Amino acid sequence: MDLQFLDQERIVAASSTGCVTVFLHHPNNQTLSASQQWTAAHYHTGPGSPSGSSAPCTGVVCNSPEIVTVGEDGRINLFRVDHKEAVRTIDNADSSTLHAVTFLRTPEILTVNSIGQLKIWDFRQQGNEPSQILSLTGDRVPLHCVDRHPNQQHVVATGGQDGMLSIWDVRQGTMPVSLLKAHEAEMWEVHFHPSNPDHLFTCSEDGSLWHWDASTDVPEKSSLFHQGGRNSTFLSHSISNQANVHQSLISSWLSTDPARDRIEITSLLPNRTLSVNSLDVLGPCLVCGTDSEAIYVTRQLFS
């Protein structure tokens, strides 16, 4: 269900069996071996659940030596490498499925769930309650993915079942700052570029893979969609007014009112394919995997 590097040698895998495994990569012979496993990290309890019935582990995030996992059981686990048991478990963190998790700051994580909520959890607090809940009023659209801006930890992007891209400022209110009309079906993953975070990447069930460019050096002021020379204007609206915040300190994702300023969107796959399930990006390279059992690599993102 999810895969993350813990460090140069180790990879953490989240399984639909509820199991979380740390794999060791052996570069000399290009093999993997399981170095550690928490077999029942996620499981259903309560009436109607057979005892010990496993629940899928849907998401994992790593900040070595710590590993945080979330699952369909609404449980959050904090594991530490080389510890047999979970360091901390929040059993009923959510009554719905948790789909994804990311670190905000080291003791704080942010989860997204199947009823459209973002929740912030602080591991320094002992209780089982989130320190903050954000959601789009009246909408219970499941959120599938989340990523945090690499330099500005209060800026978060989410995507979900309706294919919309939402940008949130967790310091301001409980609503997203921008809602951008995006894919025609579920958005499966969203990633800020790690070293160039004015650029963001999304992939969808509708077979599309998009590069969003919010950098401010773009000349004209309209939201354009490029695909094979065809431009079509994109609908978007900004919800909150950011005028009171000092502009130079603001991420371009917050300072732009997308209806007036410009976000350039480029389609990275030449032809619509089956669902694009996962993507990752580093430097000039992007890689994604699809339901057509193909892996696509883009090597010149910024050329």
Side-chain angles (χ1 to χ4, degrees):
M1 303 289 280
D2 201 4
L3 207 56
Q4 295 282 332
F5 275 101
L6 178 67
D7 53 29
Q8 292 291 320
E9 287 87 39
R10 290 176 294 186
I11 301 163
V12 182
S15 166
S16 59
T17 63
C19 175
V20 177
T21 309
V22 181
F23 288 99
L24 192 59
H25 177 228
H26 307 279
N28 52 350
N29 59 2
Q30 290 297 323
T31 57
L32 297 173
S33 62
S35 68
Q36 191 171 0
Q37 195 164 59
W38 295 279
T39 47
H42 292 275
Y43 54 90
H44 291 294
T45 54
S49 303
S51 61
S53 69
S54 63
C57 176
T58 52
V60 59
V61 64
C62 303
N63 185 11
S64 187
E66 296 187 328
I67 300 166
V68 177
T69 70
V70 296
E72 234 172 65
D73 52 359
R75 185 176 279 107
I76 298 173
N77 291 306
L78 172 62
F79 294 110
R80 204 165 274 133
V81 178
D82 304 326
H83 284 236
K84 277 197 169 140
E85 302 299 323
V87 179
R88 174 89 186 270
T89 294
I90 303 176
D91 266 326
N92 295 309
D94 215 297
S95 56
S96 60
T97 295
L98 291 169
H99 280 146
V101 59
T102 187
F103 275 105
L104 281 183
R105 285 167 285 279
T106 306
E108 283 187 317
I109 59 163
L110 185 144
T111 59
V112 296
N113 69 13
S114 60
I115 55 171
Q117 294 174 319
L118 288 74
K119 295 184 181 181
I120 298 174
W121 307 83
D122 188 338
F123 284 128
R124 293 166 299 193
Q125 296 175 359
Q126 287 310 304
N128 282 3
E129 296 300 315
S131 56
Q132 198 177 338
I133 299 177
L134 302 94
S135 67
L136 190 54
T137 313
D139 262 7
R140 297 227 152 195
V141 177
L143 293 172
H144 293 307
C145 53
V146 59
D147 197 29
R148 188 206 78 199
H149 192 289
N151 310 334
Q152 296 180 306
Q153 296 164 325
H154 53 277
V155 179
V156 171
T158 63
Q161 189 173 302
D162 57 3
M164 299 280 280
L165 173 64
S166 301
I167 306 291
W168 309 73
D169 180 347
V170 300
R171 304 167 308 178
Q172 305 239 339
T174 58
M175 296 271 287
V177 174
S178 294
L179 269 181
L180 299 160
K181 183 173 165 50
H183 302 280
E184 292 163 20
E186 292 93 335
M187 185 189 295
W188 290 131
E189 284 199 9
V190 56
H191 285 289
F192 286 102
H193 191 284
S195 54
N196 202 347
D198 284 350
H199 298 263
L200 180 138
F201 301 86
T202 59
C203 64
S204 168
E205 177 72 26
D206 67 11
S208 58
L209 173 69
W210 286 1
H211 172 181
W212 304 69
D213 178 0
S215 57
T216 47
D217 54 1
V218 199
E220 2 18 322
K221 287 282 188 187
S222 61
S223 189
L224 294 179
F225 179 64
H226 294 286
Q227 182 162 25
R230 178 176 67 83
N231 291 344
S232 62
T233 307
F234 251 63
L235 300 170
S236 60
H237 65 278
S238 184
I239 293 174
S240 67
N241 177 14
Q242 296 290 330
N244 55 348
V245 189
H246 193 266
Q247 285 295 314
S248 66
L249 299 174
I250 290 190
S251 153
S252 59
W253 294 101
L254 301 183
S255 63
T256 52
D257 173 350
R260 281 180 291 116
D261 287 316
R262 153 145 184 173
I263 291 181
E264 195 169 9
I265 305 159
T266 308
S267 170
L268 295 180
L269 287 182
N271 304 312
R272 281 285 173 96
T273 163
L274 296 174
S275 174
V276 183
N277 301 319
S278 186
L279 73 94
D280 202 9
V281 60
L282 187 66
C285 294
L286 178 141
V287 60
C288 71
T290 74
D291 266 359
S292 52
E293 299 185 11
I295 291 174
Y296 294 88
V297 182
T298 302
R299 296 182 192 278
Q300 296 170 319
L301 281 178
F302 304 112
S303 62

